[in-house]
Amino acid sequence: MPPTAEPDTTELTRHLPWKEVVADQPWVFRDAAVGAGVVVASGLYLWWAATSLPLRLPDGWEGLGSGIEIVAGIVAVVAVLAVVLGGFLLTQPLTERRLLRVRRFAADNGLEYRANGAPPPPVGVVFGTGLHIAVANQLRSPDGRRIRGRTGPAMVGVTIGDATLSERSASGGAGKTRGSVGFVHVSLPTRSPHLLLDGVANNGGARRGIARTVEHEQLVSLEGDFDRHFALYVPRDFQVEALQVFTPDVMALLIDHGRRWDIEIVDDNLFVTTSGSFRLWDASEMLRLFRFIDLVVPKLGGRIARMSPVTPRPSRFDAGTTRGARLRPSRNWVLVPVLVVAGLVVGAEILVAVLD
């Protein structure tokens, strides 16, 4: 079988005239002009407020000074917010130009673009913690992507997008934002125990990023310089199976094509994540992602298919299911001495009050 063709990135690299952007979004420069006017007007007011306050009023008018300054201060706060909104409108032409590139790239490669997409499966250390997930700028392969499987051609589902993770409000919607990630989700044909690769380059060092939520005792060291690029975490009693998956050829592919990101395999899901977002309009970024999908995923899938059956084991990284073996979440032992000290202090205060 010939190798899977790389995606066509013509629309991400060619010159895109502004007239095509206007034809796609006629309002974009009108809103940018409004934004520029808001920024200029608000900026002039803030300059006046900074140079003219406190006010010097004529004799007999001094009592009005404090009231006028309070009103001027409130208007200044509104002006600052207006500058932020105006700046957002002012950058819309660039944003819409990038999104037009992404939509055309999707059309050229049989992908479906959604401004607001469906969340990924709620499993794993990123998406399986019960947080509210909102997905934007999603690329999805509606018919799957053809890769080189272990026994021949195989089709896998592929989704790329940006996810905002938030606490759930009382109504079940989004509350306080906890962070955002760019993600790739690939549906694997075979289930796997929970395997987590914490990319050192993605977080400045192991235990500072995605792996901080799992027990450190599940860390497995592999041969060569693999540990310089990834920290591998495996459920207890599955270290032997992990060595069957991460063979020297797989480790070399991961270093060459995946060391910039975190990689997680749980059940029949493979996630590639990075803090912030993926640059979907960047041809080099898209080529790197699809090379990972086309070259690394088939190797990993083939090794996983040769593993022994996975024993079910529940975990809170699970969203209520008990399908495959899971990594154990870390325990926050730092809180134990804090709670003990707090208990002693409260107990001492109660004892003193009783004695008094």
Side-chain angles (χ1 to χ4, degrees):
M1 168 184 160
T4 303
E6 287 193 333
D8 182 358
T9 60
T10 302
E11 290 295 336
L12 300 181
T13 55
R14 77 174 183 89
H15 173 67
L16 181 59
W18 283 111
K19 64 180 181 181
E20 294 185 26
V21 179
V22 174
D24 183 71
Q25 302 289 346
W27 50 266
V28 67
F29 278 106
R30 179 199 64 198
D31 285 5
V34 171
V38 169
V39 169
V40 171
S42 301
L44 289 173
Y45 175 82
L46 291 172
W47 173 81
W48 172 84
T51 57
S52 301
L53 295 178
L55 296 174
R56 294 193 181 102
L57 299 176
D59 294 340
W61 289 30
E62 289 84 355
L64 298 176
S66 59
I68 294 175
E69 289 171 5
I70 291 173
V71 173
I74 294 174
V75 175
V77 172
V78 174
V80 170
L81 297 177
V83 168
V84 175
L85 175 61
F88 171 78
L89 294 175
L90 196 56
T91 60
Q92 281 306 287
L94 292 174
T95 300
E96 292 300 330
R97 193 185 197 191
R98 285 176 171 177
L99 291 179
L100 179 57
R101 289 187 184 277
V102 173
R103 292 196 298 271
R104 290 181 173 180
F105 166 78
D108 287 347
N109 292 278
L111 300 171
E112 180 181 86
Y113 172 81
R114 293 180 179 178
N116 299 290
V123 293
V125 301
V126 177
F127 301 116
T129 54
L131 295 173
H132 181 274
I133 305 170
V135 175
N137 296 326
Q138 185 184 77
L139 295 177
R140 190 177 71 91
S141 56
D143 302 320
R145 182 165 177 82
R146 181 171 174 264
I147 63 172
R148 186 196 303 270
R150 183 168 67 95
T151 58
M155 300 295 289
V156 295
V158 176
T159 303
I160 305 172
D162 299 331
T164 300
L165 309 177
S166 309
E167 297 177 359
R168 291 190 179 275
S169 63
S171 61
K176 180 182 178 181
T177 300
R178 295 286 295 274
S180 59
V181 295
F183 74 93
V184 177
H185 172 242
V186 181
S187 299
L188 299 176
T190 309
R191 286 172 54 195
S192 167
H194 197 174
L195 307 173
L196 178 64
L197 288 165
D198 182 11
V200 174
N202 190 45
N203 55 32
R207 302 298 295 175
R208 296 183 185 176
I210 192 174
R212 69 183 181 277
T213 58
V214 301
E215 280 189 356
H216 185 65
E217 289 73 15
Q218 298 166 111
L219 178 66
V220 174
S221 180
L222 298 180
E223 63 183 18
D225 62 350
F226 189 77
D227 292 351
R228 293 172 49 198
H229 302 283
F230 293 101
L232 171 63
Y233 293 82
V234 179
R236 294 174 183 176
D237 304 327
F238 281 88
Q239 287 84 355
V240 174
E241 288 83 352
L243 295 177
Q244 296 173 4
V245 173
F246 296 99
T247 54
D249 57 334
V250 171
M251 289 191 291
L253 282 172
L254 285 167
I255 292 173
D256 290 342
H257 300 287
R259 65 180 181 272
R260 297 175 178 84
W261 313 305
D262 298 318
I263 301 163
E264 183 177 15
I265 305 171
V266 52
D267 293 334
D268 52 355
N269 303 286
L270 183 147
F271 298 102
V272 178
T273 56
T274 187
S275 56
S277 63
F278 287 119
R279 300 186 303 276
L280 303 183
W281 58 88
D282 187 328
S284 59
E285 183 96 303
M286 289 295 96
L287 288 174
R288 281 193 293 266
L289 289 175
F290 278 95
R291 283 170 186 162
F292 179 92
I293 295 167
D294 295 337
L295 299 176
V296 183
V297 170
K299 281 287 188 180
L300 280 171
R303 296 293 183 270
I304 291 170
R306 296 185 178 97
M307 293 175 61
S308 303
V310 179
T311 304
R313 185 180 301 170
S315 167
R316 73 174 175 85
F317 298 134
D318 216 355
T321 66
T322 56
R323 295 182 58 189
R326 294 290 195 270
L327 290 169
R328 294 179 63 86
S330 61
R331 294 177 175 84
N332 197 347
W333 295 108
V334 176
L335 291 178
V336 174
V338 173
L339 294 175
V340 170
V341 172
L344 291 174
V345 171
V346 173
E349 290 181 353
I350 293 174
L351 180 59
V352 170
V354 171
L355 293 176
D356 288 344

